[in-house]
Amino acid sequence: MVNAGAMSASGNLMDFLDEPFPDVGTYEDFHTIDWLREKSRDTDRHRKITSKSKESIWEFIKSLLDAWSGWVVMLLIGLLAGTLAGVIDLAVDWMTDLKEGVCLSAFWYSHEQCCWTSNETTFEDRDKCPQWQKWSELLVNQSEGASAYILNYLMYILWALLFAFLAVSLVRVFAPYACGSGIPEIKTILSGFIIRGYLGKWTLLIKTVTLVLVVSSGLSLGKEGPLVHVACCCGNFFSSLFSKYSKNEGKRREVLSAAAAAGVSVAFGAPIGGVLFSLEEVSYYFPLKTLWRSFFAALVAAFTLRSINPFGNSRLVLFYVEYHTPWYMAELFPFILLGVFGGLWGTLFIRCNIAWCRRRKTTKLGKYPVLEVIVVTAITTIIAYPNPYTRQSTSELISELFNDCGALESSQLCDYINDPNMTRPVDDIPDRPAGLGVYTAMWQLALALVFKIVITIFTFGMKIPSGLFIPSMAVGAMAGRMVGIGVEQLAYHHHDWIIFRNWCRPGADCVTPGLYAMVGAAACLGGVTRMTVSLVVIMFELTGGLEYIVPLMAAAVTSKWVADAFGKEGIYEAHIHLNGYPFLDVKDEFTHRTLATDVMRPRRGEPPLSVLTQDSMTVEDVETLIKETDYNGFPVVVSRDSERLIGFAQRRELILAIKNARQRQEGIVSNSIMYFTEEPPELPANSPHPLKLRRILNLSPFTVTDHTPMETVVDIFRKLGLRQCLVTRSGRLLGIITKKDVLRHMAQMANQDPESIMFN
Amino acid sequence: MVNAGAMSASGNLMDFLDEPFPDVGTYEDFHTIDWLREKSRDTDRHRKITSKSKESIWEFIKSLLDAWSGWVVMLLIGLLAGTLAGVIDLAVDWMTDLKEGVCLSAFWYSHEQCCWTSNETTFEDRDKCPQWQKWSELLVNQSEGASAYILNYLMYILWALLFAFLAVSLVRVFAPYACGSGIPEIKTILSGFIIRGYLGKWTLLIKTVTLVLVVSSGLSLGKEGPLVHVACCCGNFFSSLFSKYSKNEGKRREVLSAAAAAGVSVAFGAPIGGVLFSLEEVSYYFPLKTLWRSFFAALVAAFTLRSINPFGNSRLVLFYVEYHTPWYMAELFPFILLGVFGGLWGTLFIRCNIAWCRRRKTTKLGKYPVLEVIVVTAITTIIAYPNPYTRQSTSELISELFNDCGALESSQLCDYINDPNMTRPVDDIPDRPAGLGVYTAMWQLALALVFKIVITIFTFGMKIPSGLFIPSMAVGAMAGRMVGIGVEQLAYHHHDWIIFRNWCRPGADCVTPGLYAMVGAAACLGGVTRMTVSLVVIMFELTGGLEYIVPLMAAAVTSKWVADAFGKEGIYEAHIHLNGYPFLDVKDEFTHRTLATDVMRPRRGEPPLSVLTQDSMTVEDVETLIKETDYNGFPVVVSRDSERLIGFAQRRELILAIKNARQRQEGIVSNSIMYFTEEPPELPANSPHPLKLRRILNLSPFTVTDHTPMETVVDIFRKLGLRQCLVTRSGRLLGIITKKDVLRHMAQMANQDPESIMFN
């Protein structure tokens, strides 16, 4: 199908051939799509279906099906993404426990399931049941003592190494695109870039399997980012089933945006947060229609996950919290401090991680991905095992840190000294002095915090699926909980201080350390990703804490401000730049004072622009031109003297049209004149049959004048999703600006290496 | 300040005059702004400040202040909008009660406050306290009996008429723009239209006062839409304090978008819903930066309102609900039915309301707005008083309908027959058979539903402030509660039916009628406004019911589908069309097959386009041209023969430049040649001094070719916010397309009257 502009212009040629040659309208790998063109093509398709639908009932039904196919795709994506997320959750649960022991009654049961089915279990020793055996019990029949500990330690490391090795090998052999979080690439793809296979079926399969492996191995990574990638693979798969989406790169991206929302929705059980994440962080072109569909997909996915019920509590919410006290104005100060911490950690993390990834790209390090994963896994598990806060899975850790200390809580973090005379209701416990357990926990948390901060820098970016959300949140939650306990103890011991006097009387329950953990988690996540609105929404969907919007928001905004002061790029944009993808960020503002004429090619001193003339070049001339250059297309002008622009011809379509004409049309030889006008030019009597190519000419190429400020050009590229734009002065063609030129110019203006933009 | 393109081109003229003439860069009333131009101007401003900031510390501080002024404006808007909303709530509370009686101890106390401060009050007779006297008690010392009833009835009507009369008179005399909900106009303004005074200080003041009056009068309207208008007036006021916003119509609109979010935030206590409402429903240009700022403004506003605490319960949430049972899959069927009802009601309401408003516009009816308001108020109060569900304020009604029947509930709706042997905990009451009260309530609700449906059609659109959210929600909540009670009783009496058997055992609490009311409210609101995501978010922020996303979403999507099947326009778009505003809706898809050449002017047979030549017209020629035409600008071409385009000159700036030159520049006479080139043209020796006007020439006018499909043109106008676009073929100027032309063409293609687009 040829360009819409050309089609409407040459309406009489419509019936010539519906799909003139195969592959017309598709793009090369690692190239940028033209959004306007995709949109035109879709409107044409739509028009054709609408006009056909009046012909017969069957066509009418087909047009209805076509109109509803968007919703059907969303339904399918939601169902598959929800199912996959549920399966991953269950598998991770089992394999994480496998590192510690095995269930004798049925080896496919996780620790909890094993003890749950066991009849002898009472409430108190839920975690101790005869069916569940630690490796030391099973292998040497010892459950206590140094040798049992060491054996368990070793088994833990061995399993982790096995999982990690399997994961990295699978990724290397079957689907190299399955590594990383995938969000930088998805952002780039959604902005209109082609990376073939990145969302393919193999990637889907391998990423799902390896995600289970790496999360179970206990590495410092999360499953949230990769789940977005998995959901986008689902989206890509289902959109390939409907020609409406499979044949149009623009429409396909609308589906992918919605799939990303479904991914976050199942990752956190946060459908609205997912939609906002897709809107704020991932998507490029997000019309309102996509907003509604995304919401639908996110909802179906969350609902499917809830039906699978992997956490066994039929809640959508991952870390459900219930706090019994409101927050007080004075607490805003520590919350903002946590925001500052989050911003600093975000900056630190991005800088170090990018430096390390660059090192990996440029030095020998990158040649041994398997070894790297093994080493990092070994270090992680060796250090993690002795500390209870790093040994448990990160989501359990976050859950524990978010928790408010109720009366029945057995956690070390809740080891407060109770007033023996107290006869209060269970859920209204006043602030109490911290016991020994809390002090121990503080030390362990501090060590765990340092460890997490360091190891995450080295983990994110290895050749395995790895998400950042959970480690960032863990860092923030640990810092937050420690601050929270600090404030709590300060308030308990110094009721009379002026900052506490107004709101914290003795015997009252003023400070909830769990809330500080929640705020800290939001701050750190915000510092790394620079999300704000979607972050707060995710946090309160995650915890059900609608009352705590103000603290969360205060921390998120502070964190963003602090982090932005050190550098505007979030981690995903930083990785996009590192990889040199042609991504035109909506958030970057271009404020320099250059004009289109400074950016366009040819520059001064360069050979003139390669153009076609409308009716004087032969087939051979054009073939030579195509052979000698590698441009994606050529402007067509009236003549070389006047240089008045009449249109633009795509390289790909030129090649196909010539090939086609040579095969099928009589009398087309190398000497044939090619013409783009309506009527053939007047030729000498004995000249060969001319070749009409108006069909492939885009009669409405996008032009700007040479005096157009670059900020306007950038805006136009961004909003209209152009691939290239022609530059004219008083109607004469002067040059061309491609997306790559724009990106290079922006890099240059920001004092970066323009060669860092690698693709077209 | 002149156009950025021209400025950068003629950089050497920069120092000529900073602000050459006053009023340059502003727009006429009822005209469309040029977004690209506003953006360029802002970038110029920004560049100037940045380069100056390196000169001295004072300038650096000024640049910092400038950078932070956006956040400061948001803070101020949040504070003022929150305060106003609190004051309105308090005043409405008092005045609504004033219709029934007065507090003897202090007349400025509302019923609740009066009885609250009275010491004798116990829990049982909270509503009966000696301090509070009904009018009959106060005037004739009777509290019971027919004559007391009639007296109270009359006083109720009299107060309502007084309030309504005051409101409509104030609006008519002081601020005619204060009427209606304001959302259609704000949508139009945000899309880039100028309506002077619509967001002015008088409108702010009068709308606030009259809003209190009309809500208190008991008319079938809500305060939510008008609060958005009030918040936007605040936004406009504060943006006029900062030159960054007051001098740039584009930047000002970013502030207004955020203010709209703050308005919804305080209207419902739903900050996130407010941001999404602004994004989904109101705003046109919504960059991510605005998203963050909107969130901040919405948060500050909600927080301010919470600090004022008008509801006395320190909750942000307007209708807090707590349900004790989950929902079941089988219930999706009635929920979807409610969605269908919502969609039908939305369609019916929009059709009837628009028909009535059109009648008001075109017949004599529109000449008597005061009489109309008085008549509608009289009818409303006369019918409303006898029915308890219409007598109470609509928000109380909704609150009661949403409520779950607890053990202590005294409402008629909760008059179930209790099992005397039951000794269950308070919050887990099984389904019970309905008592007499419930049946009475059903009848009254049915009557109230019919009344609300009819009267709202006539109320919305009168010359008083009137919102639609609350009446729509009330209609849905009434229908929903009735369906809910029906399902509950069906399930109670027919436990054995196959549809109930799986999830509703005898003695269980299966059905929560309050949830049905909530779902019904969402469905009706969705049918009228066609919101989806923001609607669901508002609903759950409103009620705190995070668990009920799926039912809410199912109803909202169904309602939208059903309503869209009958007509794509929501109530706000319908009113925009009715008023003929030039609004280019993002939701409308243009799928026709016309080209730019079909839309551009001059059309065939019309006189040629009025153009300026670059160096051959005299001042007098141009003055004549300006006098004879009323175009907003003129293309400048090389010469009339070649018609090669070099730029575009705004009418306003031409007039100012000529006026300015005649006053200040020596030797400029009517015969002076005007030139737009860099160098003056070669003139005969004795010719007068020529006038250089390159400064006001936009060297980068937007052009498309005549073959560009109109769908692309519409897309460009929409996304870039153009005001006009020039049409060329092979570099020759052919014609011009303005926003009005585009809108007229779209109306024509949709078989509407193109003359319905009234403004430029």
Side-chain angles (χ1 to χ4, degrees):
Chain A
M1 180 167 288
V2 293
N3 185 287
M7 276 190 68
S8 343
S10 50
N12 54 336
L13 278 163
M14 268 296 291
D15 46 345
F16 176 61
L17 256 182
D18 233 10
E19 292 272 340
F21 346 103
D23 283 345
V24 168
T26 58
Y27 297 88
E28 311 264 352
D29 202 3
F30 292 109
H31 274 65
T32 301
I33 69 166
D34 186 336
W35 283 91
L36 267 187
R37 192 169 161 234
E38 295 301 294
K39 202 165 176 193
S40 282
R41 286 177 55 214
D42 182 61
T43 319
D44 276 344
R45 219 196 97 272
H46 188 74
R47 264 198 295 254
K48 210 182 286 169
I49 288 176
T50 316
S51 66
K52 258 193 189 168
S53 73
K54 285 160 198 154
E55 287 166 14
S56 70
I57 292 180
W58 172 233
E59 289 292 342
F60 180 71
I61 292 170
K62 257 173 51 181
S63 81
L64 274 188
L65 286 180
D66 181 78
W68 279 82
S69 64
W71 293 100
V72 174
V73 170
M74 294 301 136
L75 180 71
L76 293 173
I77 290 172
L79 288 173
L80 185 58
T83 310
L84 284 177
V87 170
I88 289 173
D89 282 341
L90 289 173
V92 165
D93 207 23
W94 173 65
M95 284 174 63
T96 305
D97 289 343
L98 196 63
K99 288 189 301 180
E100 307 221 342
V102 74
C103 187
L104 289 187
S105 54
F107 73 92
W108 58 86
Y109 276 167
S110 73
H111 190 164
E112 202 184 346
Q113 288 167 323
C114 185
C115 295
W116 220 33
T117 48
S118 147
N119 295 325
E120 304 152 50
T121 319
T122 60
F123 185 79
E124 277 73 37
D125 49 7
R126 234 184 336 185
D127 289 348
K128 282 173 197 153
C129 54
Q131 303 298 327
W132 179 261
Q133 296 229 312
K134 286 192 182 174
W135 289 113
S136 61
E137 291 173 284
L138 194 73
L139 299 178
V140 298
N141 216 355
Q142 278 187 323
S143 70
E144 304 282 325
S147 60
Y149 184 86
I150 291 172
L151 184 61
N152 284 328
Y153 198 170
L154 278 177
M155 284 304 289
Y156 184 91
I157 297 170
L158 278 180
W159 278 112
L161 287 176
L162 176 68
F163 292 161
F165 175 73
L166 268 178
V168 70
S169 313
L170 281 174
V171 167
R172 264 180 75 81
V173 176
F174 294 106
Y177 284 144
C179 69
S181 88
I183 292 183
E185 284 79 10
I186 288 169
K187 278 188 81 155
T188 315
I189 291 175
L190 286 179
S191 82
F193 191 60
I194 306 271
I195 309 180
R196 290 213 194 293
Y198 198 83
L199 302 173
K201 276 170 244 137
W202 270 109
T203 311
L204 172 61
L205 186 69
I206 296 298
K207 189 133 193 176
T208 310
V209 172
T210 52
L211 185 56
V212 172
L213 288 167
V214 292
V215 173
S216 311
S217 76
L219 279 164
S220 179
L221 44 76
K223 64 177 180 6
E224 282 62 26
L227 263 179
V228 174
H229 187 179
V230 166
C232 282
C233 291
C234 299
N236 194 44
F237 172 70
F238 287 119
S239 63
S240 70
L241 302 183
F242 295 84
S243 70
K244 181 177 180 179
Y245 297 104
S246 63
K247 289 196 180 159
N248 192 304
E249 293 290 339
K251 294 296 280 179
R252 188 203 294 264
R253 273 156 184 75
E254 291 179 26
V255 174
L256 294 180
S257 288
V264 176
S265 166
V266 287
F268 290 112
I272 297 169
V275 175
L276 287 179
F277 178 79
S278 177
L279 170 71
E280 187 181 350
E281 191 58 33
V282 185
S283 294
Y284 190 80
Y285 172 62
F286 203 88
L288 277 177
K289 216 185 194 175
T290 309
L291 184 72
W292 303 324
R293 294 203 173 154
S294 300
F295 202 9
F296 181 68
L299 219 87
V300 172
F303 194 64
T304 310
L305 180 61
R306 201 187 89 148
S307 308
I308 296 176
N309 197 3
F311 303 114
N313 57 4
S314 88
R315 271 196 194 282
L316 261 180
V317 174
L318 197 57
F319 309 119
Y320 182 76
V321 293
E322 208 172 354
Y323 301 137
H324 304 100
T325 39
W327 59 275
Y328 301 92
M329 274 304 253
E331 288 184 292
L332 271 184
F333 179 69
F335 293 153
I336 286 171
L337 271 190
L338 284 173
V340 174
F341 171 77
L344 292 177
W345 139 257
T347 308
L348 176 85
F349 176 79
I350 293 172
R351 296 238 170 133
C352 296
N353 181 255
I354 290 297
W356 181 250
C357 287
R358 179 159 291 131
R359 203 183 175 80
R360 186 185 291 128
K361 272 187 95 138
T362 49
T363 64
K364 266 196 205 165
L365 187 67
K367 289 182 189 154
Y368 308 103
V370 180
L371 189 65
E372 187 192 358
V373 170
I374 295 291
V375 169
V376 171
T377 312
I379 294 173
T380 307
T381 43
I382 289 170
I383 301 181
Y385 191 82
N387 188 335
Y389 293 106
T390 46
R391 191 196 308 175
Q392 71 192 135
S393 82
T394 319
S395 10
E396 279 172 31
L397 170 65
I398 295 174
S399 190
E400 192 179 330
L401 292 170
F402 279 10
N403 219 354
D404 190 16
C405 285
L408 295 172
E409 208 60 59
S410 61
S411 154
Q412 202 185 16
L413 275 170
C414 293
D415 179 24
Y416 290 92
I417 298 163
N418 281 311
D419 182 358
N421 304 322
M422 191 184 67
T423 50
R424 287 286 199 96
V426 199
D427 59 355
D428 185 21
I429 302 168
D431 285 355
R432 295 159 293 174
L436 200 64
V438 174
Y439 288 110
T440 320
M442 290 283 271
W443 272 113
Q444 289 173 338
L445 274 182
L447 288 175
L449 178 62
V450 173
F451 168 66
K452 274 271 172 203
I453 288 180
V454 174
I455 200 71
T456 309
I457 291 170
F458 296 98
T459 308
F460 187 72
M462 290 197 303
K463 294 277 170 236
I464 45 172
S466 57
L468 245 190
F469 278 35
I470 289 283
S472 306
M473 283 175 67
V475 165
M478 286 190 275
R481 185 83 189 201
M482 288 194 288
V483 171
I485 293 176
V487 173
E488 181 196 42
Q489 293 305 312
L490 216 59
Y492 177 78
H493 290 291
H494 304 281
H495 282 297
D496 48 337
W497 283 11
I498 197 154
I499 44 168
F500 298 119
R501 208 186 292 154
N502 289 324
W503 53 281
C504 197
R505 277 161 297 128
D509 181 13
C510 332
V511 181
T512 312
L515 174 61
Y516 286 73
M518 195 165 112
V519 170
C524 281
L525 194 48
V528 171
T529 60
R530 307 297 158 84
M531 302 191 288
T532 51
V533 184
S534 50
L535 171 65
V536 174
V537 175
I538 287 177
M539 283 308 291
F540 82 63
E541 279 193 281
L542 207 60
T543 58
L546 201 63
E547 295 274 316
Y548 301 100
I549 289 186
V550 175
L552 286 173
M553 192 63 205
V557 168
T558 313
S559 153
K560 189 181 159 60
W561 282 339
V562 170
D564 276 356
F566 292 100
K568 286 273 176 196
E569 282 184 339
I571 184 73
Y572 301 128
E573 287 86 40
H575 272 267
I576 286 173
H577 274 168
L578 181 71
N579 291 326
Y581 295 129
F583 180 70
L584 203 49
D585 197 348
V586 236
K587 289 173 212 162
D588 284 347
E589 282 188 35
F590 184 84
T591 53
H592 299 280
R593 200 168 202 162
T594 41
L595 297 179
T597 184
D598 305 326
V599 180
M600 72 180 190
R601 283 176 310 170
R603 292 175 209 283
R604 231 162 274 159
E606 282 181 2
L609 194 65
S610 304
V611 295
L612 306 177
T613 54
Q614 66 176 358
D615 55 3
S616 57
M617 285 173 89
T618 63
V619 170
E620 200 178 1
D621 293 342
V622 176
E623 281 175 334
T624 318
L625 185 64
I626 289 172
K627 217 169 279 165
E628 283 172 0
T629 60
D630 58 352
Y631 304 129
N632 282 318
F634 304 92
V636 179
V637 296
V638 173
S639 69
R640 280 197 200 280
D641 300 330
S642 86
E643 284 196 325
R644 292 211 325 256
L645 180 72
I646 67 156
F648 193 82
Q650 299 281 338
R651 174 200 189 83
R652 206 186 162 89
E653 284 166 73
L654 267 177
I655 296 173
L656 287 166
I658 294 175
K659 193 175 136 210
N660 204 47
R662 277 192 187 266
Q663 283 172 358
R664 301 199 207 164
Q665 250 174 289
E666 295 264 319
I668 299 295
V669 293
S670 298
N671 264 348
S672 294
I673 289 285
M674 280 174 48
Y675 66 101
F676 293 95
T677 47
E678 295 260 23
E679 299 303 319
E682 278 179 34
L683 296 171
N686 59 346
S687 50
H689 199 72
L691 171 58
K692 181 166 182 176
L693 284 179
R694 196 172 175 85
R695 216 157 27 97
I696 64 157
L697 183 65
N698 176 1
L699 283 165
S700 54
F702 220 85
T703 58
V704 295
T705 66
D706 57 339
H707 275 97
T708 311
M710 267 315 283
E711 69 193 67
T712 307
V713 176
V714 170
D715 216 39
I716 294 171
F717 267 87
R718 199 140 50 185
K719 289 197 180 140
L720 300 179
L722 295 186
R723 200 181 180 191
Q724 73 270 317
C725 175
L726 298 170
V727 182
T728 60
R729 179 198 286 160
S730 339
R732 264 183 229 280
L733 179 68
L734 288 186
I736 189 168
I737 298 179
T738 64
K739 192 169 178 182
K740 194 176 178 180
D741 295 329
V742 172
L743 283 161
R744 283 199 166 152
H745 180 69
M746 287 172 78
Q748 214 164 14
M749 286 287 129
N751 291 321
Q752 291 163 351
D753 175 21
E755 295 310 309
S756 66
I757 312 297
M758 310 217 294
F759 305 102
N760 250 315
Chain B
M1 180 166 289
V2 293
N3 184 286
M7 278 188 67
S8 343
S10 51
N12 53 336
L13 278 163
M14 268 294 291
D15 47 345
F16 175 60
L17 257 183
D18 234 11
E19 291 272 341
F21 348 103
D23 283 346
V24 168
T26 60
Y27 297 88
E28 312 262 354
D29 201 5
F30 293 109
H31 273 67
T32 301
I33 69 167
D34 187 333
W35 284 90
L36 265 187
R37 193 171 160 231
E38 295 302 294
K39 200 163 178 195
S40 282
R41 286 177 55 213
D42 183 60
T43 320
D44 276 344
R45 219 197 95 273
H46 188 73
R47 263 198 296 252
K48 210 183 285 171
I49 289 176
T50 316
S51 65
K52 260 194 190 170
S53 74
K54 284 159 199 155
E55 287 167 15
S56 71
I57 291 180
W58 172 233
E59 291 292 342
F60 180 71
I61 292 170
K62 261 177 41 185
S63 81
L64 274 188
L65 285 180
D66 181 79
W68 280 82
S69 63
W71 293 101
V72 174
V73 171
M74 294 301 136
L75 181 71
L76 293 173
I77 291 172
L79 288 174
L80 185 58
T83 311
L84 284 178
V87 170
I88 290 172
D89 282 343
L90 290 173
V92 165
D93 208 23
W94 174 64
M95 285 174 64
T96 305
D97 288 344
L98 196 63
K99 288 189 299 179
E100 307 221 341
V102 73
C103 187
L104 289 187
S105 54
F107 74 90
W108 58 88
Y109 277 169
S110 72
H111 191 164
E112 202 183 342
Q113 288 166 323
C114 187
C115 295
W116 222 34
T117 49
S118 146
N119 296 325
E120 303 153 51
T121 319
T122 60
F123 185 79
E124 276 74 36
D125 49 5
R126 235 184 336 186
D127 289 348
K128 282 173 198 155
C129 54
Q131 302 297 329
W132 180 260
Q133 296 228 311
K134 286 191 180 173
W135 290 112
S136 64
E137 289 172 282
L138 194 75
L139 299 176
V140 299
N141 217 353
Q142 279 186 326
S143 70
E144 303 284 325
S147 60
Y149 184 84
I150 290 172
L151 184 62
N152 284 328
Y153 198 167
L154 278 177
M155 285 304 288
Y156 183 90
I157 296 171
L158 278 180
W159 278 113
L161 287 176
L162 176 68
F163 293 161
F165 175 73
L166 268 178
V168 70
S169 310
L170 281 173
V171 167
R172 263 179 75 81
V173 176
F174 294 105
Y177 283 144
C179 67
S181 87
I183 293 182
E185 283 80 9
I186 289 170
K187 279 188 81 154
T188 315
I189 290 175
L190 286 179
S191 82
F193 191 59
I194 306 270
I195 309 181
R196 290 214 192 292
Y198 198 83
L199 302 174
K201 277 170 243 140
W202 270 110
T203 311
L204 172 61
L205 185 70
I206 297 297
K207 189 133 194 178
T208 310
V209 173
T210 53
L211 184 56
V212 171
L213 288 167
V214 292
V215 173
S216 311
S217 76
L219 280 163
S220 179
L221 44 77
K223 66 176 177 8
E224 282 62 26
L227 263 179
V228 174
H229 186 180
V230 166
C232 282
C233 291
C234 299
N236 194 44
F237 172 69
F238 287 118
S239 64
S240 70
L241 302 183
F242 295 84
S243 70
K244 181 175 179 181
Y245 297 104
S246 63
K247 290 195 180 159
N248 192 304
E249 293 291 339
K251 295 295 280 181
R252 189 204 294 267
R253 274 157 183 74
E254 290 179 23
V255 174
L256 294 180
S257 288
V264 177
S265 166
V266 287
F268 291 111
I272 297 168
V275 175
L276 288 179
F277 177 78
S278 178
L279 170 71
E280 186 180 351
E281 190 59 32
V282 184
S283 294
Y284 189 79
Y285 171 63
F286 203 87
L288 276 179
K289 217 185 192 175
T290 309
L291 184 72
W292 303 324
R293 294 203 171 154
S294 301
F295 201 10
F296 181 68
L299 219 87
V300 173
F303 194 64
T304 311
L305 182 61
R306 201 188 89 147
S307 308
I308 296 177
N309 196 4
F311 304 116
N313 57 3
S314 91
R315 269 194 196 284
L316 262 179
V317 174
L318 197 58
F319 309 118
Y320 182 77
V321 293
E322 209 173 353
Y323 301 137
H324 304 101
T325 38
W327 59 277
Y328 301 92
M329 274 305 255
E331 287 185 292
L332 271 183
F333 179 68
F335 293 152
I336 286 172
L337 270 190
L338 284 174
V340 173
F341 170 77
L344 292 177
W345 139 256
T347 308
L348 175 84
F349 177 81
I350 292 172
R351 295 239 171 133
C352 295
N353 182 256
I354 291 295
W356 182 248
C357 287
R358 179 160 289 132
R359 205 184 173 81
R360 186 186 290 129
K361 271 186 95 138
T362 51
T363 64
K364 266 198 207 167
L365 186 67
K367 290 183 188 155
Y368 307 104
V370 180
L371 189 67
E372 188 193 358
V373 170
I374 295 290
V375 169
V376 171
T377 313
I379 294 172
T380 308
T381 43
I382 289 170
I383 300 179
Y385 192 82
N387 188 334
Y389 293 106
T390 47
R391 192 198 306 176
Q392 71 193 133
S393 81
T394 319
S395 3
E396 279 171 31
L397 169 65
I398 295 174
S399 190
E400 191 178 331
L401 292 170
F402 279 11
N403 220 353
D404 191 16
C405 285
L408 294 171
E409 209 59 60
S410 61
S411 151
Q412 203 185 14
L413 276 170
C414 293
D415 179 25
Y416 289 93
I417 298 164
N418 281 311
D419 182 356
N421 305 323
M422 190 185 69
T423 49
R424 287 286 198 95
V426 198
D427 61 354
D428 185 22
I429 303 167
D431 287 355
R432 296 160 293 174
L436 201 62
V438 174
Y439 287 110
T440 319
M442 291 283 271
W443 271 112
Q444 289 173 338
L445 274 182
L447 288 175
L449 178 62
V450 173
F451 169 65
K452 275 272 172 202
I453 287 181
V454 175
I455 201 72
T456 308
I457 290 170
F458 295 99
T459 307
F460 187 72
M462 290 200 303
K463 293 280 169 234
I464 45 171
S466 57
L468 246 190
F469 278 36
I470 291 282
S472 307
M473 283 175 67
V475 166
M478 286 190 276
R481 185 85 190 198
M482 289 195 289
V483 171
I485 293 176
V487 173
E488 181 196 42
Q489 293 305 312
L490 216 60
Y492 176 79
H493 291 292
H494 304 281
H495 283 295
D496 49 337
W497 282 11
I498 197 154
I499 45 167
F500 298 120
R501 207 186 293 155
N502 289 325
W503 53 282
C504 197
R505 277 160 299 127
D509 180 13
C510 333
V511 180
T512 312
L515 174 61
Y516 286 73
M518 195 165 112
V519 170
C524 281
L525 195 49
V528 171
T529 61
R530 309 293 159 83
M531 303 190 288
T532 51
V533 184
S534 49
L535 171 65
V536 173
V537 175
I538 287 177
M539 284 308 290
F540 83 61
E541 281 194 280
L542 207 61
T543 56
L546 201 63
E547 295 274 313
Y548 301 101
I549 291 185
V550 176
L552 286 173
M553 192 65 205
V557 168
T558 313
S559 154
K560 191 182 158 59
W561 282 340
V562 170
D564 276 354
F566 291 102
K568 286 272 177 197
E569 283 184 338
I571 184 74
Y572 301 128
E573 287 86 41
H575 273 265
I576 288 173
H577 273 168
L578 182 69
N579 291 325
Y581 295 128
F583 180 70
L584 203 50
D585 197 349
V586 238
K587 290 172 211 162
D588 284 347
E589 282 188 37
F590 185 84
T591 52
H592 299 281
R593 201 172 200 159
T594 43
L595 297 180
T597 185
D598 305 326
V599 179
M600 72 177 192
R601 281 175 311 165
R603 293 174 208 283
R604 230 161 275 159
E606 282 181 2
L609 194 64
S610 304
V611 294
L612 305 177
T613 54
Q614 65 176 0
D615 56 1
S616 58
M617 285 173 90
T618 63
V619 170
E620 199 179 2
D621 293 343
V622 176
E623 281 174 334
T624 319
L625 185 65
I626 288 172
K627 217 168 282 164
E628 282 172 0
T629 61
D630 58 351
Y631 303 130
N632 283 317
F634 303 92
V636 179
V637 295
V638 172
S639 70
R640 281 196 199 281
D641 300 330
S642 86
E643 284 194 326
R644 289 210 327 253
L645 180 71
I646 68 156
F648 193 81
Q650 298 282 339
R651 175 200 189 83
R652 208 186 161 89
E653 285 168 45
L654 265 179
I655 295 174
L656 285 167
I658 293 176
K659 196 175 133 206
N660 204 47
R662 276 192 187 263
Q663 282 172 1
R664 300 199 209 164
Q665 249 173 289
E666 296 264 320
I668 299 295
V669 293
S670 297
N671 265 347
S672 295
I673 289 286
M674 281 175 49
Y675 67 100
F676 293 96
T677 46
E678 295 260 22
E679 299 303 320
E682 280 178 33
L683 297 170
N686 58 346
S687 51
H689 198 74
L691 172 57
K692 181 167 180 174
L693 285 180
R694 196 174 175 87
R695 213 155 31 95
I696 63 160
L697 183 65
N698 176 2
L699 283 165
S700 53
F702 220 85
T703 58
V704 295
T705 66
D706 58 337
H707 275 97
T708 311
M710 267 313 283
E711 68 193 69
T712 308
V713 176
V714 170
D715 216 37
I716 294 172
F717 266 87
R718 202 143 44 188
K719 287 197 180 141
L720 300 180
L722 294 186
R723 200 180 181 193
Q724 71 270 319
C725 176
L726 299 168
V727 183
T728 60
R729 179 197 288 160
S730 344
R732 263 183 229 279
L733 179 67
L734 287 185
I736 188 168
I737 298 179
T738 64
K739 192 167 176 183
K740 194 177 178 177
D741 296 329
V742 172
L743 282 161
R744 282 198 167 151
H745 180 70
M746 287 173 77
Q748 214 164 16
M749 286 288 129
N751 290 321
Q752 290 162 354
D753 175 21
E755 294 310 311
S756 67
I757 311 297
M758 310 220 292
F759 305 102
N760 249 314

